[in-house]
């Protein structure tokens, strides 16, 4: 008991004797609900925006099938929709057994998020090499091979953890995804940077060229930054328990993390890429195979 008959362990204090608001919020079921409801609403908003844009594109060019642009918006809708469902049913997710099921529900959308934005890197790489009159035949096989390898390695680690929980393997799994995020960031810097420099050297000055230059520049900065932040956060998550992105125990950290690495980047990129493809009859728009 304290000097005034109050148990000092009841209220957390920092070294200066002030109430620690971070722990107050994290330990409050009311604030947990508020934060995760906000996250759910934000993810729902992004999912709706992506779905509306997908429908608009389909109405504009229905004859081209599943283009890269359509797949990009569909995957955005899928990732954000699943995230919203996981957060709205977070307490049920937290109680799932075995524990690996919870990890899969939290981590699988992150893998699909990687695939979604890797499509932009693929699209830019194709434009870059086509502009240089170089073959692009090997780009899509490389894209699919990288994705199959990433998913296969991660699923293999999940299966091992399902069979037997190995703490070291949990760290390796988090570091693996940090490496995947770093790889994605470098991909955006490489091909976004190349395309940006190529557009800068393009001899024709036009409004369309300036818009495309700004589009590539903004998306490169946004996406490379979000994947770099994800990489850094996953490294902290792997080795620092205080940075553990637990669904319930760290709602403030979850809010900051998902806002920076998924919600804000998705909203900004969807806004920047809001332009619809040319109307039917324009032959430059190619379907994804």
């Amino acid at each position: 008991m304290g000097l005034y008959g109050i148990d000092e362990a009841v209220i957390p204090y920092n070294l200066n004797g002030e109430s620690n608001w971070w722990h107050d919020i994290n330990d409050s079921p009311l604030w947990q609900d508020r934060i995760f409801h906000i996250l759910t609403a934000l993810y729902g908003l992004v999912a709706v925006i992506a779905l509306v844009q997908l429908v608009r594109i389909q109405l504009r060019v229905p004859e081209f099938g599943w283009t890269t642009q359509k797949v990009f918006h569909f995957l955005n809708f899928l990732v954000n929709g699943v995230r919203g469902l996981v957060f709205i049913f977070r307490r049920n997710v937290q109680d799932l057994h075995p524990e690996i099921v919870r990890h899969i529900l939290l981590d699988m959308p992150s893998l699909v998020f990687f695939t979604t934005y890797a499509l932009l890197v693929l699209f830019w790489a194709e434009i870059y090499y086509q502009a240089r009159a170089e073959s692009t035949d090997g780009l899509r096989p490389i894209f699919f091979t990288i994705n199959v390898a990433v998913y296969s390695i991660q699923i293999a680690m999940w299966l091992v953890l399902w069979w037997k929980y190995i703490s070291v393997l949990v760290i390796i799994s988090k570091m693996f995804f940090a490496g995947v995020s770093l790889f994605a960031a470098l991909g955006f810097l490489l091909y976004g940077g190349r395309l940006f420099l190529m557009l800068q050297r393009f001899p024709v000055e036009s409004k369309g060229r300036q818009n495309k230059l700004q589009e590539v520049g903004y998306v490169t900065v946004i996406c490379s930054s979000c994947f770099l932040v994800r990489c850094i956060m996953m490294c902290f998550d792997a080795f620092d328990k205080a940075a553990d992105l637990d669904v319930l125990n760290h709602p403030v950290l979850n809010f900051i993390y998902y806002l920076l690495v998924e919600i804000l980047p998705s909203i900004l990129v969807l806004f920047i890429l809001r332009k619809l493809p040319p109307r039917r009859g324009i032959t430059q728009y190619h379907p994804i195979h």
Side-chain angles (χ1 to χ4, degrees):
M1 299 289 287
L3 293 175
Y4 301 99
I6 299 174
D7 191 341
E8 294 172 347
V10 172
I11 303 176
Y13 285 83
N14 60 22
L15 293 177
N16 296 322
E18 299 172 348
S19 178
N20 191 327
W21 64 269
W22 180 278
H23 292 295
D24 289 345
I25 293 175
N26 281 337
D27 295 336
S28 168
L30 178 61
W31 274 106
Q32 289 175 5
D33 288 342
R34 287 175 177 173
I35 289 173
F36 286 113
H37 286 160
I38 293 172
L39 280 174
T40 299
L42 290 173
Y43 273 113
L45 174 64
V46 179
V48 169
I49 293 172
L51 181 61
V52 169
Q53 189 67 353
L54 174 62
V55 172
R56 292 178 68 207
I57 296 170
Q58 176 61 23
L59 292 175
R60 175 68 68 92
V61 285
E63 67 276 16
F64 284 116
W66 282 99
T67 62
T68 303
Q69 196 175 18
K70 290 179 185 178
V71 173
F72 173 77
H73 285 93
F74 173 74
L75 290 178
N76 257 306
F77 164 72
L78 184 66
V79 169
N80 289 281
V82 171
R83 279 281 192 228
L85 289 173
V86 169
F87 284 135
I88 199 66
F89 296 111
R90 62 201 174 281
R91 299 193 188 279
N92 303 88
V93 171
Q94 195 79 358
D95 294 334
L96 287 174
H97 295 285
E99 187 179 349
I100 189 62
V101 178
R102 187 178 73 202
H103 286 295
I104 292 173
L105 285 174
L106 290 172
D107 294 343
M108 182 58 79
S110 297
L111 289 177
V112 181
F113 185 86
F114 162 77
T115 301
T116 303
Y117 284 85
L119 274 173
L120 285 182
V121 178
L122 171 66
F123 185 60
W124 286 351
E126 288 180 330
I127 293 175
Y128 176 76
Y129 287 118
Q130 285 172 357
R132 292 168 58 90
E134 298 180 23
S135 174
T136 61
D137 294 342
L139 291 178
R140 294 193 179 221
I142 292 173
F143 170 81
F144 288 117
T145 300
I146 291 173
N147 277 271
V148 168
V150 168
Y151 281 78
S152 298
I153 293 171
Q154 185 62 71
I155 290 171
M157 286 191 282
W158 284 337
L159 291 174
V160 172
L161 288 170
W162 197 326
W163 170 65
K164 183 178 181 181
Y165 186 84
I166 306 172
S167 57
V168 175
L169 189 58
V170 174
I171 295 175
I172 293 174
S173 177
K174 292 177 179 180
M175 291 304 298
F176 170 73
F177 197 73
V180 170
S181 300
L182 179 60
F183 179 75
L186 293 176
F188 273 104
L189 289 174
L190 177 62
Y191 285 106
R194 283 181 170 183
L195 192 57
F196 184 84
L197 292 175
M198 185 182 71
L199 288 169
Q200 271 192 325
R201 293 193 298 266
F202 202 73
V204 178
E205 287 292 337
S206 66
K207 184 179 179 181
R209 171 186 173 276
Q210 283 300 115
N211 290 340
K212 182 59 66 174
L213 192 66
Q214 292 177 354
E215 176 185 301
V216 172
Y218 289 148
V219 174
T220 297
V221 172
I222 292 167
C223 292
S224 58
S225 298
C226 90
F227 279 106
L228 188 59
V229 170
R230 187 191 288 271
C231 172
I232 294 170
M233 284 298 300
M234 291 305 296
C235 290
F236 279 109
D237 184 17
F239 297 104
D240 188 352
K241 194 65 178 176
D244 185 15
L245 294 166
D246 186 278
V247 174
L248 287 180
N249 293 339
H250 294 111
V252 179
L253 186 61
N254 270 270
F255 181 79
I256 296 171
Y257 174 75
Y258 287 110
L259 188 68
L260 290 179
V261 305
E262 288 187 0
I263 295 172
L264 277 179
S266 295
I267 291 175
L268 291 173
V269 171
L270 287 173
F271 176 76
I272 293 169
L273 302 181
R274 67 191 182 280
K275 183 180 178 182
L276 295 176
R279 292 188 180 276
R280 64 189 66 187
I282 305 299
T283 58
Q284 296 97 305
Y285 201 64
H286 302 291
I288 186 170
H289 299 293

